[in-house]
Amino acid sequence: MCCTDYVEDHPWFNRTHGESILSMPIASPKHALDPALLALGSAIKALRKANGISQEELAHRSHIDRSYMSSIERGMQNPGVMTVVQIAAGIGVSVAELAAKARL
């Protein structure tokens, strides 16, 4: 199974062009370090490490930039819903499992 198989099985994957239709959102300094974003980032990091996935590999699986992934894990970014869906798929968990881990 290729690392892109994680997202190709999901409805947001653009099958016509063979790539994710999502792009990296603009940073949201208004929400940086919000407790919810810190909890989400910690949950992503914990699940990633528990599954033996490097940050770079998760970013690749999620079709986002590694530096953006780092910012999300540190609670500096306010990722959109579809980005969270891609990250959860890259880890191999549901969004509900990710939210539960973050206690959101």
Side-chain angles (χ1 to χ4, degrees), residues 39-54:
L40 176 63
S42 292
I44 291 168
K45 185 175 183 177
L47 288 167
R48 173 178 64 75
K49 287 188 168 197
N51 285 287
I53 304 168
S54 71

Side-chain angles (χ1 to χ4, degrees), residues 17-29:
H17 294 100
E19 59 189 30
S20 172
I21 59 174
L22 304 175
S23 60
M24 188 168 111
I26 298 170
S28 177

Side-chain angles (χ1 to χ4, degrees), residues 11-23 63 82 86:
W12 70 85
F13 188 79
N14 184 337
R15 296 189 189 288
T16 304
H17 294 100
E19 59 189 30
S20 172
I21 59 174
L22 304 175
S23 60
H63 294 267
M82 293 311 297
Q86 284 182 244

Side-chain angles (χ1 to χ4, degrees), residues 2-98:
C2 173
C3 54
T4 57
D5 291 341
Y6 290 95
V7 286
E8 288 176 4
D9 293 333
H10 295 286
W12 70 85
F13 188 79
N14 184 337
R15 296 189 189 288
T16 304
H17 294 100
E19 59 189 30
S20 172
I21 59 174
L22 304 175
S23 60
M24 188 168 111
I26 298 170
S28 177
K30 178 180 177 181
H31 299 291
L33 300 176
D34 182 271
L37 295 180
L38 290 168
L40 176 63
S42 292
I44 291 168
K45 185 175 183 177
L47 288 167
R48 173 178 64 75
K49 287 188 168 197
N51 285 287
I53 304 168
S54 71
Q55 189 177 77
E56 184 174 4
E57 177 62 19
L58 179 56
H60 180 75
R61 291 180 183 188
S62 304
H63 294 267
I64 62 175
D65 187 77
R66 193 223 37 93
S67 62
Y68 182 52
M69 179 65 71
S70 173
S71 291
I72 292 170
E73 287 189 359
R74 291 181 287 119
M76 300 299 294
Q77 292 286 342
N78 184 16
V81 172
M82 293 311 297
T83 299
V84 173
V85 170
Q86 284 182 244
I87 292 169
I91 297 171
V93 299
S94 69
V95 173
E97 290 171 297
L98 178 56

